[in-house]
Amino acid sequence: MIVLNKAYLTGKESEYIREALEKQTSGNGVFTKKCHRFFLDKYGFKKTLLTPSCTAALEMAAILLDIRPGDEVIVPSFTFVSTANAFVLRGATVVFADSLSVHPNIDPDALEKHITPRTKAIVVVHYGGVAVDMDKIMDFANRHNLFVVEDAAQAIDAFYKDRPLGSIGHFGCFSFHDTKNIVCGEGGLLVINDARFFPRAEIVWEKGTNRSAFIRGEVDKYGWVDIGSSFLLSEVTAAFLYAQLEEIDSIQNKRREAWHYYWDNLKAFVSEYGVSMPEIPAFATHNAHIFYLICESSEQRDALTKSLKQSGIQAYFHYPPLHLSKFYLQSHRPVSLPNAAKFSEQLVRLPVYAGLTTTDQDFVIAELKKALG
Ligand SMILES: *Cc1c(COP(=O)(O)O)cnc(C)c1O
């Protein structure tokens, strides 16, 4: 069986976890600080807070933006549930936007029509770690006075021009879930790029208290000063994460090798069957998070995934578009987002992870040829 994704372990995880068990297991200890320091040194992220998930980081962003009932937030339909749900939890109305025709990412030139006097924020998702055109997004947001949240769940170590993803909008949200490039079981990161939010971010993180300021000795007691929740990552998990971060370059190199092996060996022949390769814009340096193909029809895609499954290869689609979800349609009129629907019907992801062997990849490629032929 060749699985879609497999977490790569560096070997240091259990050692660091044992160290955390001896020192401190609750959050905001030595390993949390080491991780925060790593993100500052490696990517220049000025203010970071580890969270239990990317979902939690998105929820923090929604609280910090003071999203309330009546506010509208523009969100891509082709994404994971949490991108929208975090804002719905605050009472926002989500307004779904379509993908580009050539890429699952949000279409920055088709956003104007979604603007109303109530629009407060836009969320972008860098699908597969491939950057959205952030100059266009920031320009749009500035013209309409909107906040920008980057759902960079899949985008660690990926770039827009020379800027790391997650550092461009007001907030960046990352995931270290088991299915992502860098893992710690369940974990996430909120990156705060606008200094106005720094003090309140720490308070929301610490359950609505000024405990962070107290720990730094800035106040002599701490108490309830705002809303918040339990948004810290345990030190046990932060220790796991730090072992991964230390090896990020080698994990990423392995992953990129696997991605490019598909690229080099598929590009010449898939077009003969009407299948398209991923489009990578010149401004994007991606992180090899996903290798996908776009089939010419849903029938071709479904036949292909079925055939690969019979050969013991996990190849999956992505996502049921949120504008067609049961939850959304319960309370909203249907909208038409043809590109999001198309990717949902025609996209297939191939197994890709650090440590995937070329022998396995050759098998995937051979079975793919058979299935398409
Ligand atoms: C994985 C993912 C999430 C959720 O991440 P968790 O850490 O599991 O909460 C959110 N958005 C996108 C685009 C994702 O891929």
Side-chain angles (χ1 to χ4, degrees):
M1 172 79 134
I2 303 177
V3 297
L4 186 72
N5 183 57
K6 202 189 268 184
Y8 182 89
L9 297 180
T10 68
K12 281 281 188 74
E13 288 85 356
S14 46
E15 181 187 327
Y16 289 174
I17 289 170
R18 206 168 308 120
E19 216 177 301
L21 295 179
E22 284 158 14
K23 284 191 177 122
Q24 172 185 335
T25 54
S26 62
N28 202 8
V30 177
F31 283 104
T32 296
K33 292 188 175 73
K34 280 183 187 226
C35 291
H36 289 171
R37 182 79 220 176
F38 174 89
F39 293 118
L40 175 68
D41 293 344
K42 176 101 177 155
Y43 301 114
F45 296 159
K46 287 190 190 64
K47 180 74 184 168
T48 53
L49 296 169
L50 288 186
T51 57
S53 62
C54 180
T55 302
L58 288 161
E59 289 170 12
M60 278 189 73
I63 293 172
L64 289 163
L65 290 176
D66 204 20
I67 298 292
R68 293 161 182 265
D71 291 341
E72 292 178 9
V73 180
I74 300 172
V75 179
S77 173
F78 189 83
T79 182
F80 185 64
V81 176
S82 300
T83 316
N85 189 70
F87 296 87
V88 171
L89 274 179
R90 310 305 313 156
T93 301
V94 292
V95 176
F96 285 120
D98 207 359
S99 300
L100 293 157
S101 62
V102 294
H103 192 279
N105 278 348
I106 199 167
D107 181 352
D109 296 321
L111 295 172
E112 216 70 46
K113 60 177 177 282
H114 297 307
I115 290 288
T116 79
R118 294 171 166 238
T119 313
K120 187 152 182 193
I122 175 166
V123 189
V124 298
V125 176
H126 305 293
Y127 181 73
V130 177
V132 169
D133 190 336
M134 289 307 290
D135 283 349
K136 283 191 177 174
I137 295 292
M138 297 314 286
D139 175 60
F140 170 76
N142 289 335
R143 273 188 287 117
H144 296 287
N145 204 17
L146 310 179
F147 292 109
V148 178
V149 178
E150 295 179 71
D151 180 340
Q154 307 174 1
I156 191 72
D157 205 46
F159 295 80
Y160 173 71
K161 299 180 179 171
D162 58 351
R163 302 172 74 183
L165 298 186
S167 71
I168 304 165
H170 296 83
F171 296 98
C173 303
F174 289 91
S175 175
F176 307 113
H177 181 268
D178 194 47
T179 51
K180 303 302 201 275
N181 290 25
I182 297 296
V183 304
C184 62
E186 303 270 0
L189 177 75
L190 178 68
V191 181
I192 305 119
N193 298 314
D194 183 330
R196 282 178 297 172
F197 296 106
F198 289 180
R200 193 164 174 242
E202 283 189 337
I203 289 167
V204 171
W205 192 52
E206 279 278 17
K207 304 144 190 102
T209 75
N210 55 347
R211 186 164 179 272
S212 296
F214 170 74
I215 289 171
R216 282 195 302 269
E218 293 164 14
V219 292
D220 55 16
K221 59 182 190 321
Y222 75 91
W224 189 12
V225 295
D226 201 336
I227 61 165
S229 192
S230 182
F231 283 125
L232 271 65
L233 187 70
S234 104
E235 276 290 293
V236 180
T237 315
F240 183 166
L241 180 61
Y242 189 65
Q244 292 263 307
L245 293 174
E246 276 189 328
E247 293 298 323
I248 191 166
D249 290 338
S250 93
I251 294 173
Q252 286 296 90
N253 285 339
K254 289 182 174 62
R255 196 154 185 131
R256 287 194 184 98
E257 266 173 38
W259 196 98
H260 286 285
Y261 194 79
Y262 281 136
W263 179 270
D264 293 342
N265 289 284
L266 293 175
K267 67 173 187 290
F269 87 89
V270 294
S271 60
E272 289 169 33
Y273 303 96
V275 174
S276 315
M277 298 288 281
E279 289 267 346
I280 311 293
F283 55 68
T285 304
H286 70 93
N287 64 356
H289 177 61
I290 293 173
F291 191 95
Y292 66 82
L293 297 170
I294 309 295
C295 293
E296 63 182 351
S297 65
S298 61
E299 293 76 22
Q300 186 193 39
R301 195 275 309 272
D302 294 346
L304 179 61
T305 49
K306 192 172 162 211
S307 164
L308 291 175
K309 187 178 173 191
Q310 281 163 357
S311 310
I313 298 164
Q314 281 184 350
Y316 290 154
F317 87 118
H318 237 172
Y319 297 103
L322 298 181
H323 74 285
L324 300 177
S325 64
K326 184 177 162 202
F327 177 75
Y328 179 78
L329 289 174
Q330 268 168 11
S331 50
H332 297 83
R333 248 176 290 157
V335 291
S336 167
L337 301 171
N339 294 332
K342 175 187 78 176
F343 288 115
S344 174
E345 288 174 4
Q346 298 176 22
L347 182 148
V348 55
R349 293 176 290 151
L350 300 183
V352 67
Y353 52 85
L356 178 63
T357 63
T358 52
T359 315
D360 280 351
Q361 288 192 279
D362 286 337
F363 180 68
V364 173
I365 293 161
E367 293 303 302
L368 193 76
K369 279 188 177 165
K370 254 196 256 168
L372 289 175

